[in-house]
């Protein structure tokens, strides 16, 4: 657990099999997994996010998608955040219209960034017999894409192509088709 400059605690989760990137900027996966101790000795208990998510929905507010927990660098929006039996499942969009969003999509696509981290305030917690802090209720503020996660089990799964990759692929197909047509008229290419 770390505390940010703006007073929130943070939990890092490694992206991978738990988060997917598709259509260049759509991502989804787990920002938090229940019942697993992270490197800071904290364990998120099933149901820990329920009240926070209900309160946000009732107030018409959303959990923010940030870059490296920096409140000055929002990079997208979370379209869906919900608890399931495994953990905190997130689905959202990286905004490739902004520089940091394009950078994030490229870094995730290349495998250079593979972590998710939650920014939250602890509402209710207790120590268990092993000295682990059990987070029973947290107020979720943000989920960030990060370089170094604390919970290695939450990961990026598959990676989609960026809109730029799709455009380049389409352009390459046009050139390849033109090359074939020219080759058919004037001999081998």
């Amino acid at each position: 657990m770390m505390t940010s400059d703006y007073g929130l605690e943070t939990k890092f989760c490694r992206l991978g099999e738990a988060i997917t990137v598709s259509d260049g900027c759509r991502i989804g996966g787990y920002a938090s997994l229940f019942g697993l101790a992270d490197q800071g000795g904290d364990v998120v208990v099933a149901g820990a996010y329920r009240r926070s998510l209900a309160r946000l929905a009732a107030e018409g507010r959303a959990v923010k998608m940030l870059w490296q927990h920096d409140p000055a660098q929002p990079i997208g929006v979370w379209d869906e955040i919900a608890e399931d039996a495994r953990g905190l499942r997130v689905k959202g969009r990286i905004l490739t219209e902004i520089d940091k969003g394009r950078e994030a999509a490229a870094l995730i696509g290349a495998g250079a960034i593979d972590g998710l981290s939650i920014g939250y305030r602890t509402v209710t917690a207790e120590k268990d017999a092993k000295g682990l802090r059990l987070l029973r209720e947290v107020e979720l503020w943000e989920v960030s894409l990060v370089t170094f996660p604390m919970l290695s089990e939450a990961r990026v799964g598959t990676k989609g192509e960026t809109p730029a990759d799709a455009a380049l692929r389409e352009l390459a197909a046009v050139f390849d088709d033109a090359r074939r047509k020219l080759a058919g008229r004037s001999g081998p290419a």
Side-chain angles (χ1 to χ4, degrees):
M1 184 242 342
M2 295 176 56
T3 303
S4 70
D5 290 340
Y6 52 104
L8 294 182
E9 295 176 76
T10 58
K11 289 269 170 253
F12 298 97
C13 298
R14 188 172 179 83
L15 301 173
E17 60 88 10
I19 196 161
T20 58
V21 180
S22 61
D23 299 329
C25 59
R26 295 206 178 276
I27 61 175
Y30 287 92
S32 175
L33 297 169
F34 298 136
L36 300 175
D38 67 14
Q39 294 175 34
D42 287 344
V43 177
V44 178
V45 175
Y49 302 102
R50 186 177 31 243
R51 286 186 181 160
S52 179
L53 294 175
R55 188 171 29 259
L56 287 168
E59 295 171 359
R61 295 186 305 127
V63 173
K64 305 301 182 199
M65 181 190 296
L66 301 180
W67 179 250
Q68 307 284 354
H69 294 296
D70 185 344
Q73 294 190 64
I75 59 166
V77 293
W78 294 115
D79 297 316
E80 296 176 37
I81 298 182
E83 284 191 358
D84 64 16
R86 188 169 181 208
L88 185 67
R89 181 105 173 112
V90 297
K91 290 183 182 180
R93 294 168 281 130
I94 296 173
L95 300 177
T96 55
E97 299 85 357
I98 60 172
D99 289 340
K100 192 54 74 178
R102 279 191 301 280
E103 289 176 35
L107 290 167
I108 291 168
I113 295 290
D114 63 354
L116 279 179
S117 179
I118 59 172
Y120 65 97
R121 291 191 196 281
T122 300
V123 176
T124 307
E126 62 188 45
K127 294 277 186 180
D128 71 3
K130 297 177 185 176
L132 298 173
R133 186 170 73 144
L134 304 177
L135 300 175
R136 299 220 173 266
E137 183 180 348
V138 298
E139 180 183 354
L140 185 64
W141 282 52
E142 54 98 358
V143 176
S144 286
L145 295 170
V146 297
T147 306
F148 298 109
M150 282 181 79
L151 183 62
S152 62
E153 289 82 1
R155 304 173 177 270
V156 170
T158 59
K159 300 169 184 114
E161 63 183 18
T162 66
D165 292 336
L168 288 174
R169 191 173 32 85
E170 186 177 324
L171 184 59
V174 168
F175 281 124
D176 193 43
D177 186 51
R179 183 193 54 77
R180 278 195 301 269
K181 288 179 181 175
L182 286 172
R185 290 186 185 163
S186 59

